[in-house]
Amino acid sequence: MATGGRGAVVAMAAGSTLSSASVTLFLLLVLPRVSQAQTFFFPFRQPETCGHNQYFDISALSCVACGSNQRQDARGTSCVCLPGFQMISNNGGPDITCKKCPEHMKGVTEDGWNCISCPGGLTAEGKCHCPTGHILVERNVNGTLLSQATCELCDESENSFTVANALGNRCVRCEPAFINTSKSCACSEPNILTGGLCLSSTGNFPLRMISTARYGELGISFTSEWFAKYLQSSAAACWMYGNLTSCQALGNMCVMNMNCYDSSTFDACGLFQFIFENTAALGTVHSVSFWRQNLPWLFYGDQLGLAPQILSTTPLPTNFSFKGENQQSTKLKFVAASYDVKGNFLKWQTLEGGILQLCPDTETRLNAAYSFGTTYQQSCEIPVPKILTDFPTPTFYDVYLEYTDENQHQYIWAVPVLNLNLQHKKMFVNKDSSSGKWLLTRRIFLVDTLSGRENDLGSQPRLIRVATQISLSIHLVPNTKNGNIYPPLITIAYRDIDIKDPSSQSVKVSFSVTYEMDQGEAHVQTDIALGVLGGLAVLSSLLKTAGWKRRIGSPMIDLQTVAKFLVYYAGDLANVFFIITVGTGLYWLIFFKAQKSVSVLLPVPAQEKRFVTYVGCGFALKALQFLHKLISQITIDIFFIDWERPKGKVLKAVEGEGGVRSATVPVSIWRTYFVANEWNEIQTVRKINPLFQVLTVLFLLEVVGFKNLALMDSSSSLSRSPPSYIAPYSRILRYAVSSALWLVIGLIQRKIVKTKSYRAPLQLHGSIVFFAVFYERFIEDKIRQFVDLCCMSNISVFLLSHRCFGYYIHGRSVHGHADTNMEEMNMNLKREAENLCSQRGLVPNTDGQTFQIAISSQMRQHYDRIHETLTRKNGPARLLSSSGSTFEQSVKAYHTMNKFLGSFIDHVHKEMDYFIKDKLLLERILGMEFMEPMEKSIFYNDEGYSFSSVLYYGNEATLLIYDLMFFCVVDLACQNFILAAFLTYLQQEIFRFIRNAVGQKNLASKTLVDQRFLI
């Protein structure tokens, strides 16, 4: 049994396994075929494509046939019985059952459930038809169905004044206008029937009304269907009965016509004005003379000069601030009374949430428009089909500013509107630059797709009108300290769009909020500063010109003198513009961003034009100064005096004679080449690192976020969250932030360089010690090192930047010679370090190696005679390929110049001698020399290495300001710090290349050093 049981279990297990395998195999074979056979597409059907005997199944999204004796209903999504058939069941939708009515009862009741005998004819739907003025009665009062329907005539007599309603199933009282005008329910001649009202022809109300919609931008006028239907009735109801809704509807039609009216015509605005002028006895609303009882407030009046009084006479009795816990002082709370096109009041609503902003955005960004002090700009492009869908009828807004007075009472202040499309006497007066000619209004709308319909209100409009520009401007009260403002002004511009192909048309719209204040006082202060500093610039330029005249040794005032004065004046005036613009920018940056109670507001873009002009003028003049210095540097006279003397004689073969003779050992030229090469390298060395300067400023602006300080909002934070609104940039603030960072980074670099050059570390303080210790180890002082190199090379440098003025670097070795081996060179350095030899100075027992020199005219003439021979063939490149005699002549001139300058320094030429003195303090301040070198030249002690003025190194201030202004000018033009940084560095490299290349050629030409050795 056990065995048998085990076998049974095994058999069952085997069967189960076999069954599972079969099912698995079946699924693997069948499911892929099912998946391959399944489809996910079907024919596309729309309700209007279904036939008369079909309905559109909203579940299956296809057309389905109706049952017998049925047809499609009006909506197309269900079925109804055919005329002459009654319903006997209706389960909703198309599930109905119809039965034919008997011959003696061919009519069907209004509800379709019963058959009935009709007193007259039948309608197309098979219902009973009654004559005009009659109502159809199918049931008794208790609801019992009559065997035959009856047509009852409504009593139009004086006792009842009833007529059939629009459905023809009930008698209702006639409109009061009919009863009051004709004493009946009929509006017979000579009375006029319009808009459902009966008007008397004997009243004083104008009857020749114009139902014209004007589109002044396109120059098109046509009869509007909306105006044709409702203008006359709305005006009459407003005039005769003081109907509030009708008066609002009339006002809306005037606003739809851009508040334009002509006293000679009675269009919407003409009728409104007629009613306004003839209802003075009704009084005003809230003591506002422009707001008549029963009428909407549309106009402020048409008196010239009224607009400036409204906008800048009475400040709002409340204060605003940038920071504070009270939101009412940091937010502009605008509210609007909204009306539909028929004049019905809809509701009070705040403008937050994008009520007046057609462009979609997040609620946070939309509401940022009403944060006090935040300049707001929003623009987008909207397709015309979306406009037609979203705005079937216009909504009208009367905008107010809600505020709380000192007693915490809430009030609203009416916000005036400047409609740029308004025409007065066929002129667009609100586009005039003079506010005295403006005509202010009150009510606005965003989109009008209704008045542009010609024949049918249900058809597509011929024209639509869209508010493409809405600007809200807030003007600060002058000299306020508590954030007082004048009433805000809404400036709105509409665009008329001719609807031709809606699917391909779109509209660009914008919304902005601007803050402004009177800049007259700021302009006066700027003009005063410009006048004072400009006068000082003239004086400075005259002194520089006088100094230049003395340095060239010419007392005559000629055209060259005038040109030089203008160049100097350009540089000084550029500094004036730079000081004024940087000072102005920092003033706005500090006082605008740091204030709590508002007293200043940023200049608007139109007010920034003068500032941008100053920046442009400063840059142009600074560029002229930079080019002048560049040209001066690449045309200097320079010569390297070699003090090395031959060390003995050697035997030298004599060509052509076949013998030998004794000759002095030639002095190596390599020391001169080495010094010349070092001079060539330091020509464009600067006190700052230009690449580090550009990258650091760019890093601080873009990465750290200093550029956010230039946003036209009240926040002084360096970061902005992505969901928040990013205000537009102020050009003045961008200039201020970038200038401040550029100057700070540049001054820090210059401070480091100056600190490193100082040679008394034990006397330094705190941070200076840090800079000296750190940077002396890692940064080299090229200028001081060059002076040391000259001394170790036994070579002096004679520089003439002017005809009779220049610089002298005394490089004569205290060891007598420098052309020696390594062991002797190290011994010499050791002896000098241990003070076992004399000092390096030109004057014995002094260290003065650098001098400013003013040479006499005789000295200059002698120098020129030798120099003319030296440079006769325009440099050594041509000398190498010239004839032997010419080359020997140039070499002889070189040795002659070297000998002459060396003997001049050694006081050999008594007729061309010199003396050494210190400059007076006033001479240092003015940068000129009072004493003329008449018979003797003058060497001025110069511990400041002023010979660097013929290099980039000594003109760092000019270069720094030029680069800064170049950076700022590019940024002001492109609003892009990255592009400005790239172009600034690019121009730095271009001018550095030019300075190196041309300066190298000048160096080779003036010193006879082959250009191929200047690497």
Side-chain angles (χ1 to χ4, degrees):
M1 290 180 63
T3 304
R6 185 178 300 171
V9 172
V10 171
M12 291 176 63
S16 176
T17 302
L18 186 59
S19 176
S20 300
S22 302
V23 171
T24 303
L25 181 61
F26 173 77
L27 292 175
L28 291 174
L29 293 175
V30 175
L31 284 181
R33 296 181 181 180
V34 174
S35 300
Q36 293 175 3
Q38 189 174 2
T39 59
F40 299 95
F41 61 90
F42 48 87
F44 176 54
R45 294 288 184 268
Q46 293 181 336
E48 54 268 22
T49 62
C50 297
H52 294 293
N53 296 326
Q54 294 177 317
Y55 73 95
F56 184 75
D57 190 329
I58 60 175
S59 176
L61 302 179
S62 60
C63 296
V64 180
C66 292
S68 59
N69 304 320
Q70 299 174 20
R71 62 179 175 84
Q72 186 186 83
D73 69 350
R75 293 186 57 193
T77 58
S78 185
C79 298
V80 294
C81 295
L82 293 172
F85 289 81
Q86 68 177 113
M87 281 191 303
I88 58 176
S89 68
N90 187 350
N91 296 321
D95 189 8
I96 63 173
T97 305
C98 301
K99 178 182 177 182
K100 185 174 178 61
C101 292
E103 289 296 327
H104 64 283
M105 301 176 71
K106 293 185 177 181
V108 181
T109 58
E110 289 292 327
D111 57 17
W113 284 97
N114 300 100
C115 297
I116 194 170
S117 178
C118 296
L122 299 175
T123 63
E125 290 79 17
K127 309 294 178 61
C128 296
H129 175 71
C130 288
T132 304
H134 293 69
I135 62 171
L136 177 65
V137 179
E138 297 176 334
R139 299 179 184 273
N140 289 325
V141 177
N142 60 1
T144 304
L145 182 67
L146 300 177
S147 59
Q148 182 175 3
T150 62
C151 292
E152 300 292 339
L153 179 64
C154 293
D155 184 12
E156 298 183 8
S157 64
E158 188 175 352
N159 295 328
S160 302
F161 288 128
T162 60
V163 292
N165 65 357
L167 297 177
N169 59 3
R170 182 182 174 194
C171 292
V172 296
R173 185 172 177 82
C174 304
E175 288 290 336
F178 285 78
I179 298 173
N180 296 336
T181 302
S182 63
K183 304 301 181 183
S184 68
C185 290
C187 189
S188 55
E189 294 184 353
N191 299 320
I192 300 172
L193 177 64
T194 177
L197 296 178
C198 186
L199 306 180
S200 173
S201 61
T202 59
N204 60 351
F205 190 70
L207 298 177
R208 298 183 60 185
M209 303 179 185
I210 300 176
S211 303
T212 301
R214 293 189 176 90
Y215 293 84
E217 188 182 30
L218 300 177
I220 298 176
S221 298
F222 59 86
T223 300
S224 167
E225 183 66 15
W226 179 262
F227 288 1
K229 280 190 174 183
Y230 299 107
L231 174 60
Q232 194 170 22
S233 58
S234 298
C238 178
W239 163 249
M240 298 172 61
Y241 310 114
N243 185 278
L244 299 181
T245 305
S246 298
C247 291
Q248 295 292 337
L250 176 62
N252 291 342
M253 285 184 251
C254 177
V255 174
M256 293 161 81
N257 254 351
M258 298 290 96
N259 297 86
C260 306
Y261 74 91
D262 191 341
S263 58
S264 61
T265 59
F266 288 101
D267 55 4
C269 291
L271 292 171
F272 180 88
Q273 195 67 19
F274 174 85
I275 297 174
F276 181 87
E277 293 172 354
N278 288 276
T279 55
L282 295 178
T284 60
V285 179
H286 300 302
S287 301
V288 178
S289 59
F290 314 113
W291 195 350
R292 186 76 74 237
Q293 193 72 37
N294 299 335
L295 295 176
W297 181 6
L298 298 187
F299 300 93
Y300 278 90
D302 57 358
Q303 299 90 348
L304 291 177
L306 183 61
Q309 298 179 26
I310 296 169
L311 298 176
S312 58
T313 300
T314 307
L316 266 67
T318 188
N319 303 328
F320 292 93
S321 62
F322 282 169
K323 303 173 180 68
E325 298 179 357
N326 185 9
Q327 268 200 348
Q328 291 189 351
S329 64
T330 60
K331 280 279 194 180
L332 292 167
K333 190 175 182 181
F334 289 97
V335 295
S338 54
Y339 300 84
D340 67 10
V341 69
K342 293 183 179 180
N344 296 304
F345 176 79
L346 299 177
K347 60 180 177 180
W348 281 104
Q349 57 188 136
T350 67
L351 296 190
E352 291 187 343
I355 300 301
L356 297 185
Q357 293 146 279
L358 290 173
C359 297
D361 210 334
T362 62
E363 186 173 354
T364 301
R365 293 175 182 171
L366 292 173
N367 294 343
Y370 308 110
S371 178
F372 188 79
T374 298
T375 298
Y376 186 89
Q377 290 181 357
Q378 183 197 42
S379 61
C380 64
E381 191 167 352
I382 305 177
V384 168
K386 178 175 174 57
I387 293 177
L388 295 175
T389 303
D390 295 347
F391 299 92
T393 59
T395 301
F396 298 84
Y397 303 96
D398 293 342
V399 182
Y400 300 85
L401 177 62
E402 182 181 347
Y403 66 93
T404 304
D405 67 357
E406 297 178 353
N407 300 321
Q408 300 302 310
H409 295 155
Q410 286 188 322
Y411 294 91
I412 55 175
W413 192 289
V415 178
V417 175
L418 182 68
N419 186 348
L420 300 182
N421 296 70
L422 184 148
Q423 293 186 63
H424 182 65
K425 298 180 180 178
K426 299 182 179 180
M427 295 178 62
F428 291 98
V429 293
N430 288 344
K431 293 183 179 180
D432 198 285
S433 58
S434 173
S435 60
K437 298 180 181 180
W438 291 351
L439 296 180
L440 302 179
T441 57
R442 282 282 298 124
R443 183 165 292 188
I444 63 172
F445 64 89
L446 299 182
V447 178
D448 174 20
T449 62
L450 190 62
S451 64
R453 304 177 192 267
E454 278 191 289
N455 301 316
D456 184 6
L457 293 179
S459 63
Q460 177 176 289
R462 174 182 172 185
L463 293 166
I464 64 173
R465 179 171 280 150
V466 181
T468 53
Q469 297 179 17
I470 301 178
S471 177
L472 184 61
S473 58
I474 290 89
H475 200 98
L476 192 69
V477 175
N479 302 318
T480 181
K481 302 298 181 182
N482 300 314
N484 297 110
I485 63 171
Y486 288 120
L489 173 67
I490 296 177
T491 302
I492 189 166
Y494 292 92
R495 179 185 169 192
D496 302 331
I497 303 170
D498 191 357
I499 302 299
K500 296 180 179 179
D501 183 10
S503 60
S504 62
Q505 291 179 281
S506 60
V507 186
K508 291 183 179 181
V509 298
S510 65
F511 180 88
S512 62
V513 181
T514 59
Y515 295 81
E516 56 184 298
M517 63 176 292
D518 186 10
Q519 300 291 333
E521 183 178 354
H523 289 163
V524 170
Q525 294 175 353
T526 302
D527 292 341
I528 293 174
L530 186 61
V532 173
L533 295 179
L536 294 177
V538 172
L539 180 60
S540 173
S541 302
L542 288 173
L543 291 174
K544 289 179 181 178
T545 306
W548 172 79
K549 290 292 292 182
R550 179 157 294 187
R551 289 180 175 182
I552 66 172
S554 172
M556 300 294 294
I557 299 178
D558 51 9
L559 186 60
Q560 185 185 12
T561 305
V562 176
K564 205 71 175 181
F565 167 77
L566 294 177
V567 172
Y568 284 135
Y569 184 59
D572 291 335
L573 193 58
N575 294 333
V576 170
F577 280 121
F578 175 72
I579 293 171
I580 289 177
T581 53
V582 171
T584 302
L586 292 177
Y587 168 82
W588 289 116
L589 176 64
I590 295 171
F591 284 89
F592 177 75
K593 290 290 184 178
Q595 64 186 338
K596 180 178 179 181
S597 297
V598 182
S599 59
V600 295
L601 291 174
L602 290 174
V604 297
Q607 295 171 331
E608 291 179 334
K609 290 182 179 179
R610 175 182 289 200
F611 179 86
V612 174
T613 301
Y614 286 169
V615 174
C617 291
F619 170 71
L621 295 174
K622 182 57 68 174
L624 180 61
Q625 181 191 24
F626 168 68
L627 292 176
H628 171 251
K629 286 184 177 290
L630 187 67
I631 295 172
S632 300
Q633 289 184 9
I634 60 179
T635 56
I636 63 169
D637 291 317
I638 182 171
F639 191 84
F640 298 115
I641 306 173
D642 191 353
W643 297 101
E644 197 74 12
R645 295 294 177 259
K647 292 184 178 181
K649 296 185 178 182
V650 295
L651 296 177
K652 183 179 179 182
V654 181
E655 294 182 8
E657 298 181 2
V660 295
R661 68 178 181 180
S662 172
T664 58
V665 177
V667 176
S668 173
I669 195 64
W670 286 108
R671 290 172 298 99
T672 303
Y673 283 175
F674 184 62
V675 172
N677 196 65
E678 287 300 313
W679 176 266
N680 183 57
E681 288 185 0
I682 66 173
Q683 288 191 98
T684 54
V685 170
R686 294 181 58 174
K687 294 181 180 179
I688 66 171
N689 187 319
L691 181 59
F692 175 81
Q693 176 83 14
V694 170
L695 293 181
T696 304
V697 171
L698 187 61
F699 174 81
L700 293 175
L701 288 170
E702 293 289 343
V703 180
V704 178
F706 276 91
K707 69 175 183 179
N708 291 321
L709 293 177
L711 296 175
M712 298 178 72
D713 58 22
S714 59
S715 174
S716 55
S717 173
L718 297 183
S719 61
R720 296 290 191 276
S721 59
S724 64
Y725 169 74
I726 306 299
Y729 287 99
S730 165
R731 289 185 290 182
I732 291 180
L733 294 189
R734 286 180 74 97
Y735 180 84
V737 173
S738 56
S739 297
L741 291 177
W742 195 281
L743 290 175
V744 168
I745 301 301
L747 291 176
I748 289 175
Q749 289 197 74
R750 290 193 64 185
K751 182 66 176 175
I752 292 172
V753 172
K754 286 184 178 180
T755 304
K756 189 196 75 65
S757 300
Y758 191 59
R759 289 301 182 95
L762 296 179
Q763 301 176 5
L764 300 178
H765 300 283
S767 61
I768 300 181
V769 173
F770 168 77
F771 287 134
V773 173
F774 184 80
Y775 282 96
E776 277 189 352
R777 183 174 180 181
F778 295 104
I779 300 181
E780 55 184 354
D781 185 354
K782 291 273 189 182
I783 302 301
R784 184 178 293 274
Q785 286 180 355
F786 179 76
V787 176
D788 293 341
L789 176 65
C790 289
C791 187
M792 297 306 299
S793 302
N794 204 16
I795 289 179
S796 296
V797 182
F798 189 84
L799 284 165
L800 290 178
S801 57
H802 299 74
R803 182 178 180 275
C804 295
F805 182 84
Y807 307 92
Y808 174 67
I809 302 174
H810 186 61
R812 194 169 191 172
S813 176
V814 296
H815 308 289
H817 59 274
D819 196 358
T820 183
N821 56 30
M822 181 183 296
E823 181 180 359
E824 187 175 356
M825 179 68 72
N826 290 334
M827 287 296 297
N828 291 339
L829 292 175
K830 184 178 180 180
R831 291 178 60 234
E832 189 172 357
E834 295 175 354
N835 292 324
L836 298 178
C837 59
S838 61
Q839 294 175 299
R840 295 179 174 181
L842 176 61
V843 179
N845 298 320
T846 64
D847 286 326
Q849 294 179 258
T850 55
F851 301 88
Q852 295 182 12
I853 59 175
I855 62 176
S856 63
S857 297
Q858 184 180 1
M859 164 65 182
R860 178 69 199 203
Q861 291 171 3
H862 196 81
Y863 176 88
D864 288 340
R865 283 196 296 270
I866 303 174
H867 186 266
E868 182 181 357
T869 306
L870 183 68
T871 58
R872 184 171 296 165
K873 289 295 182 179
N874 275 336
R878 294 190 57 180
L879 287 174
L880 292 176
S881 60
S882 61
S883 63
S885 61
T886 304
F887 177 75
E888 290 177 0
Q889 184 179 0
S890 298
V891 172
K892 181 179 179 181
Y894 167 78
H895 289 295
T896 303
M897 178 68 78
N898 190 74
K899 183 177 180 181
F900 166 70
L901 293 178
S903 60
F904 170 74
I905 298 298
D906 287 339
H907 300 277
V908 173
H909 305 281
K910 299 302 181 182
E911 74 281 4
M912 292 183 293
D913 203 358
Y914 68 92
F915 63 91
I916 301 173
K917 68 183 297 287
D918 290 326
K919 265 193 173 184
L920 299 175
L921 177 61
L922 190 58
E923 286 181 314
R924 295 175 184 270
I925 294 174
L926 297 180
M928 62 185 298
E929 298 75 35
F930 295 159
M931 185 181 296
E932 292 188 29
M934 302 299 294
E935 296 181 357
K936 291 185 177 182
S937 300
I938 306 172
F939 278 41
Y940 296 97
N941 289 311
D942 179 23
E943 297 178 357
Y945 300 101
S946 60
F947 70 88
S948 62
S949 62
V950 299
L951 308 171
Y952 265 12
Y953 190 90
N955 295 276
E956 188 56 54
T958 300
L959 295 172
L960 184 71
I961 296 175
Y962 170 74
D963 290 341
L964 186 157
M965 300 199 76
F966 184 92
F967 178 88
C968 292
V969 165
V970 175
D971 177 65
L972 290 178
C974 305
Q975 299 280 292
N976 190 321
F977 286 125
I978 298 177
L979 178 62
F982 171 76
L983 293 181
T984 301
Y985 181 70
L986 180 63
Q987 64 86 23
Q988 287 175 344
E989 290 299 301
I990 291 174
F991 282 113
R992 188 180 67 85
F993 174 79
I994 294 174
R995 173 67 180 84
N996 271 332
V998 182
Q1000 182 174 307
K1001 289 184 178 181
N1002 180 69
L1003 180 63
S1005 172
K1006 300 294 176 62
T1007 63
L1008 206 65
V1009 173
D1010 195 315
Q1011 191 171 349
R1012 290 174 292 182
F1013 291 100
L1014 301 177
I1015 57 177

